[in-house]
Amino acid sequence: MRRYWRANIRIMALLLGLWALAGLGAGILFADTLNAYRISGTGFPLGFWFAHQGSIIVFVLLILAYCLYMNRLDNRHRRELETTRQEG
């Protein structure tokens, strides 16, 4: 059970770090640098886009990644519990 929660906390810390990097880093800290690039077809500066839409899209993708990872972790944990119950 401890290994399950460690894996859960590790993936949450990683995903929250990525979200902070996308939301705070790309939207605010590196916005001036990213604004040198424009999104083709829209003309919006990349830093502006990250501050308003990109960080939200990244957040939704991170939720999807967390869901997929947790489903895999739950299945693996369930198999380990069933094996442990059958053995003893």
Side-chain angles (χ1 to χ4, degrees):
M1 193 60 135
R2 177 175 280 188
R3 195 167 38 154
Y4 174 84
W5 286 109
R6 280 188 187 165
N8 188 1
I9 290 172
R10 189 174 339 125
I11 191 68
M12 280 194 306
L14 174 69
L15 295 177
L16 286 173
L18 289 175
W19 185 40
L21 188 65
L24 182 68
I28 297 172
L29 298 176
F30 309 119
D32 292 334
T33 304
L34 291 175
N35 281 339
Y37 304 99
R38 298 205 176 263
I39 298 175
S40 63
T42 64
F44 290 118
L46 188 58
F48 174 81
W49 183 81
F50 257 106
H52 293 278
Q53 294 180 353
S55 61
I56 296 170
I57 291 171
V58 169
F59 182 68
V60 171
L61 292 175
L62 292 177
I63 290 172
L64 176 66
Y66 179 72
C67 180
L68 294 174
Y69 179 80
M70 288 307 296
N71 282 339
R72 186 181 311 164
L73 183 64
D74 287 345
N75 287 335
R76 185 173 50 189
H77 183 69
R78 185 177 308 120
R79 282 194 303 268
E80 288 177 4
L81 284 178
E82 289 173 358
T83 303
T84 304
R85 285 183 190 152
Q86 290 174 354
E87 291 176 352

